[in-house]
Amino acid sequence: MTDGTTESVESFRLRARAWLAANMPRAEESAPAPGDELEAWHRARELQRKLYEGGFAGICYPAEYGGLGLTPAHQRAFTEEADGYEMPLLLNIPTLSICLPTILDMGSEEHKREHIGAVLRGEEVLVQFLSEPSGGSDLAGLLTRAELDGDTWILNGAKTWSSSAYAGDYALCLARTDPTVPKHHGLTMFLMPTKGEGITMNRVAMVDGTAEFCEEFFDNVRLPASAVVGEVNGGWAVATRQLYHERTAMGGGSPYVSGRGFAPSRKLPTPIDVARAAGRAGDPEVRELIGEWLATSTVSGQTAARVTRAIAGGHLPPAAASLMRLMGAEAMRLERDVAMRVAGACAAVAAGDEPGVLGEAGIGYLMRQGSSLGGGSVEMSRNIVSERLLGMPREYAADRGVPFNQVRRGRA
Amino acid sequence: MDPELSPDQKLFEAAAKDFLDKEYPLDRIRRMDAGAGFDRDWWRRGAELGWTAMLVPEELGGGSVSGEGVRDLALLAEVLGAGVAPGPLLATNTVLAGLVAAHGTGPDHSAAIESLVSGEAVATWAVYEPGRQWAPLEPGLTARPAEGGFRLDGVKDRVEAAGDADLFLVTAATPQGTAQFLVPAATPGVTVERQWSLDLARHHGAVRFDGVRVDEAAMVGRPGAGEVVERQTQVALVIQCAEVCGGLDRVFEMTTQWARDRYTFGRPIASYQALKHRFADMRTWLEACHATTAAAASAVQEGSAGAAEPVSTAKSYVGDRSLAILQDCVQIHGGIGLTWEHDLHLYLRRATSNRSLYGTPQDHRRRLADLASL
């Protein structure tokens, strides 16, 4: 990065290798105890700060906002070198790969100056306030209102499925600012503090015992005009960009991450762990199942890489990100199926009063559909692929072109 | 359908496609006489277009468009797969992969390589044996040392293009381990019997070796050199998967067009969500098939020691997923998709045939478990 020329990927890789070895802890030595989640978040911020100080944070973020301004190839090289090191994976989704890219694409100069550097230094965590209790797939039909009182926006409503919002500092929040126009035209995106006055936050308990998701209630939450991201009533364009980044990230194709993958809310045994624990590694049928899972997860990664390249090169439209989302969900469903089937007779009742590796396969199976729902259901992705990639006719929608305040709503 | 092809690769691709469309349109393949092989002159002209030169280094008379022969071969296999082409593309190139990999480690076969590259001769790999699954390193056919050479006894079957081949590359058990021999079809004691094949354009035969005498110069490489057999397997699998990808592209395009043109209850069937979602899944799997095949081709191109893993991944995935796509395309076509006159069965035959040979997806899944040190 001297005298205005870009460092070669190879030179960057070698520098990263040396720096990682000298500065970052190995993954296996320092994994935080499960369940100790606030400590894990503190740890992630600390690791991110280390990356920043070492000059390896925000590889693909522009240098003027605190990143390195390098290419996805540099990012991939770093990610490969970072395998085996403890990385701040908790920050990857949604902070680094969804919220911050959206701010970079659509935010004001002030947003970028204030938040990109802060995130890259490990000082800020960003989350999303999108889904609402009234509906998941029909995001643009949301009910949370934002009304102007002089120069101040007043928010009222409720949000849910906000991943790790309890650990967040700021949230991208989509709200209705004009109910008299069709649904997509009356939305505005806000960048708001998560712990301001009027916000009540609860955690949602899931079937596997985790509580990563939160729900929020807004009671006259006040935001300044500068909190608007993009245009007033132009929130759908921002949300579309955000959802694109989300699909890319979920499919493993984001160039904005620190380290490979993201932190699972619960560490599950792989089918290989399960086969060993069940003493079934020698069973040809089990080996076949495991081979099928290995192949499918490899193919999922290969598909993400191919689609990401094709979108970047203009060979596929951005809607193609749904292909990696669908493939990723399929691989994840298979992983849970294979783990449960390999656990066989021991998936449902443990040897003692703890679930153990085999019981974890059973618990993981309960959350099988999680990856097919999170980040937009696979049904929505299938609509996107068939309509935008294959050009098939769009689904009938009773609310198309209808002012939002005249659209019929259900009771649930 | 790789969007990142060089101009030279695009020309090469277009030339192959034109040549195939002109000489072997699908209608000719549908009507191929059950007894006939492929047109030898057609194959020679294919060889002139470079179809047999890609895995062969320039000093042995070969060369490829991009300098990356395996990738170019995969590209060609896609084009030929899209037309369910006849001809020994897989058979001859698999043998060439072995001869080239063994070159310099045993007897010299550069004359055979030259005749295969020119298209004058056709070779095939005799590796399966009657009643046996995929086990290339465990041949039952024996090669016993006998006065300055070997005596081969045993039977191979499912030998592609057996009736047209001039040379068989035969896996055999020797006292020093598994070895391969290049045996001319005209050698006394070699007899070929035709076998029924599902693929209309690709025929197989059983080859019997009754006291066949070959001299030491017939050996390819050295006994116990499993890496040559591995290389042949990898090349065969890359060609198979690429052929199937080419066929899937064509069938998927044909079926989406059908869904737009076909109306029921006053609307195109492409407007029904029940079908749109299936098309979305098929489109995803199609992308995945291309992604894993390209990754396998790259790994084999680099000749990396770890190539077995991506190759088995591709066969495991493409082998089964291609059939799921094709059968769903048959279903979406309705009864017409089950008729002889429709093109669908030509693709289904090729994909089913490719699924079953050179290791089934199940075989390759067990191999992936082995490679993962489970």
Side-chain angles (χ1 to χ4, degrees):
Chain A
M1 291 278 288
T2 50
D3 55 273
T5 59
T6 303
E7 181 177 6
S8 78
V9 173
E10 261 329 289
S11 145
F12 182 72
R13 179 192 291 278
L14 294 176
R15 221 158 45 73
R17 185 178 299 170
W19 182 84
L20 283 160
N23 293 280
M24 291 304 266
R26 301 295 301 183
E28 60 275 18
E29 294 158 8
S30 52
D36 204 359
E37 57 196 15
L38 287 175
E39 194 182 314
W41 280 98
H42 180 72
R43 177 79 180 156
R45 287 173 185 243
E46 221 173 69
L47 291 169
Q48 181 63 34
R49 168 128 210 123
K50 251 181 193 293
L51 288 176
Y52 181 81
E53 284 167 353
F56 290 100
I59 292 166
C60 287
Y61 282 101
E64 55 184 312
Y65 301 121
L68 303 186
L70 295 173
T71 68
H74 291 85
Q75 169 72 47
R76 276 195 297 278
F78 183 81
T79 303
E80 283 161 23
E81 293 302 324
D83 270 346
Y85 290 98
E86 188 189 355
M87 299 299 284
L89 301 181
L90 280 170
L91 298 180
N92 281 350
I93 290 181
T95 302
L96 281 166
S97 61
I98 304 174
C99 298
L100 206 55
T102 306
I103 291 172
L104 177 65
D105 293 347
M106 313 293 277
S108 66
E109 191 58 27
E110 184 191 333
H111 292 145
K112 295 185 217 182
R113 299 229 171 266
E114 190 175 334
H115 296 282
I116 296 178
V119 165
L120 297 181
R121 290 190 300 271
E123 291 161 11
E124 247 178 45
V125 171
L126 306 179
V127 298
Q128 312 190 79
F129 291 167
L130 292 176
S131 298
E132 299 196 353
S134 60
S137 291
D138 182 11
L139 176 61
L142 58 82
L143 301 176
T144 293
R145 300 182 318 279
E147 284 154 337
L148 263 184
D149 176 15
D151 284 346
T152 303
W153 291 96
I154 314 285
L155 268 68
N156 282 285
K159 293 283 174 182
T160 190
W161 306 128
S162 335
S163 302
S164 55
Y166 65 90
D169 301 295
Y170 283 85
L172 284 168
C173 177
L174 191 60
R176 186 160 308 282
T177 39
D178 185 354
T180 68
V181 292
K183 63 180 180 182
H184 295 104
H185 304 299
L187 298 169
T188 301
M189 189 71 79
F190 295 92
L191 183 56
M192 64 187 281
T194 56
K195 297 180 177 83
E197 201 176 326
I199 302 174
T200 311
M201 192 183 285
N202 301 318
R203 297 178 65 166
V204 182
M206 305 301 282
V207 293
D208 63 352
T210 58
E212 276 306 300
F213 291 113
C214 298
E215 57 182 6
E216 299 80 26
F217 298 94
F218 306 140
D219 183 14
N220 291 321
V221 176
R222 300 174 70 84
L223 297 176
S226 62
V228 172
V229 180
E231 304 290 322
V232 172
N233 291 328
W236 188 249
V238 184
T240 301
R241 200 66 200 149
Q242 195 171 338
L243 294 174
Y244 163 74
H245 285 303
E246 172 152 17
R247 280 188 288 269
T248 306
M250 298 307 286
S254 175
Y256 295 115
V257 289
S258 292
R260 197 187 299 277
F262 41 95
S265 55
R266 185 189 177 97
K267 186 100 178 95
L268 286 169
T270 69
I272 289 182
D273 300 332
V274 176
R276 290 196 176 121
R280 300 186 70 197
D283 180 339
E285 195 191 327
V286 164
R287 298 179 75 79
E288 229 171 88
L289 280 171
I290 294 213
E292 184 182 4
W293 160 66
L294 287 167
T296 306
S297 36
T298 302
V299 174
S300 173
Q302 291 166 339
T303 307
R306 177 181 167 93
V307 172
T308 307
R309 254 197 337 269
I311 294 175
H315 305 297
L316 282 175
S322 289
L323 295 173
M324 24 180 168
R325 187 264 177 279
L326 285 170
M327 191 60 209
E330 187 168 318
M332 199 50 81
R333 290 195 301 271
L334 183 71
E335 176 170 323
R336 300 298 167 89
D337 287 346
V338 168
M340 189 269 286
R341 288 166 70 185
V342 169
C346 302
V349 180
D353 68 352
E354 291 287 323
V357 170
L358 302 180
E360 294 284 350
I363 294 170
Y365 185 69
L366 300 181
M367 279 296 281
R368 177 186 188 269
Q369 296 307 117
S371 57
S372 300
L373 292 166
S377 68
V378 287
E379 284 74 18
M380 294 303 292
S381 303
R382 290 184 178 117
N383 280 353
I384 291 171
V385 170
S386 56
E387 293 173 7
R388 298 200 211 145
L389 219 54
L390 301 176
M392 293 180 163
R394 288 183 64 182
E395 285 305 300
Y396 167 73
D399 60 358
R400 193 166 295 151
V402 179
F404 187 73
N405 53 14
Q406 291 168 35
V407 172
R408 291 177 63 182
R409 289 187 212 131
R411 274 166 289 185
Chain B
M1 295 287 174
D2 192 325
E4 293 158 349
L5 296 180
S6 73
D8 282 349
Q9 285 176 313
K10 282 182 184 154
L11 275 178
F12 174 68
E13 185 185 36
K17 188 175 178 317
D18 280 355
F19 183 54
L20 180 66
D21 288 349
K22 210 170 291 163
E23 301 292 326
Y24 268 109
L26 286 178
D27 225 35
R28 181 171 174 199
I29 287 163
R30 192 194 333 271
R31 289 173 217 300
M32 268 177 85
D33 182 353
F38 54 89
D39 181 340
R40 285 294 289 256
D41 187 51
W42 177 78
W43 180 249
R44 232 181 329 267
R45 285 157 63 202
E48 282 166 19
L49 292 174
W51 296 2
T52 47
M54 288 173 272
L55 301 182
V56 180
E58 280 174 19
E59 61 270 24
L60 291 173
S64 74
V65 182
S66 72
E68 295 186 315
V70 179
R71 282 208 179 99
D72 290 343
L73 181 56
L75 174 65
L76 175 65
E78 253 188 51
V79 173
L80 297 189
V84 207
L89 180 80
L90 187 151
T92 292
N93 278 297
T94 299
V95 170
L96 280 168
L99 297 180
V100 168
H103 185 71
T105 66
D108 180 60
H109 293 287
S110 43
I113 291 174
E114 193 183 322
S115 70
L116 294 173
V117 169
S118 71
E120 291 308 315
V122 164
T124 186
W125 193 13
V127 58
Y128 274 102
E129 298 191 358
R132 309 247 338 245
Q133 297 294 317
W134 178 242
L137 292 176
E138 296 157 28
L141 184 145
T142 54
R144 293 195 181 83
E147 40 190 290
F150 293 86
R151 178 197 153 115
L152 272 55
D153 288 283
V155 185
K156 296 289 180 178
D157 81 343
R158 287 161 279 173
V159 179
E160 194 193 317
D164 291 296
D166 307 295
L167 294 165
F168 295 110
L169 180 57
V170 187
T171 52
T174 75
Q176 284 81 41
T178 299
Q180 297 195 101
F181 296 89
L182 193 63
V183 182
T187 311
V190 175
T191 50
V192 176
E193 282 167 41
R194 205 182 151 71
Q195 291 179 294
W196 173 87
S197 303
L198 189 65
D199 191 331
L200 297 178
R202 189 170 273 172
H203 305 120
H204 298 81
V207 185
R208 183 174 291 279
F209 297 82
D210 286 318
V212 172
R213 303 295 291 266
V214 295
D215 56 21
E216 272 173 2
M219 190 183 281
V220 173
R222 286 186 298 259
E227 67 275 8
V228 176
V229 167
E230 176 64 30
R231 175 81 180 167
Q232 288 164 214
T233 305
Q234 290 179 5
V235 165
L237 289 165
V238 165
I239 295 174
Q240 275 193 331
C241 290
E243 272 187 351
V244 170
C245 282
L248 287 176
D249 279 342
R250 188 70 74 84
V251 170
F252 187 72
E253 189 191 319
M254 186 195 293
T255 310
T256 48
Q257 191 57 49
W258 165 261
R260 288 190 192 99
D261 295 344
R262 178 84 169 173
Y263 276 61
T264 54
F265 305 103
R267 53 193 268 209
I269 63 172
S271 67
Y272 290 96
Q273 197 177 40
L275 298 192
K276 282 163 65 183
H277 281 196
R278 277 154 63 184
F279 276 109
D281 281 339
M282 287 195 274
R283 179 66 183 78
T284 304
W285 300 334
L286 184 59
E287 195 71 27
C289 285
H290 277 286
T292 192
T293 299
S298 297
V300 177
Q301 175 64 48
E302 283 154 27
S304 59
E309 192 262 337
V311 168
S312 283
T313 295
K315 177 64 193 268
S316 164
Y317 189 80
V318 175
D320 275 344
R321 201 49 84 175
S322 60
L323 297 189
I325 295 173
L326 289 168
Q327 295 289 19
D328 213 25
C329 287
V330 171
Q331 177 68 21
I332 288 171
H333 271 85
I336 192 83
L338 292 171
T339 62
W340 188 272
E341 278 310 302
H342 206 282
D343 293 337
L344 275 170
H345 70 107
L346 303 175
Y347 294 96
L348 189 52
R349 286 168 190 274
R350 174 63 52 88
T352 308
S353 179
N354 278 353
R355 178 198 183 278
S356 72
L357 295 173
Y358 303 103
T360 62
Q362 285 68 34
D363 293 328
H364 286 282
R365 285 170 198 157
R366 288 193 299 275
R367 190 155 97 124
L368 287 172
D370 297 344
L371 292 169
S373 312
L374 175 63

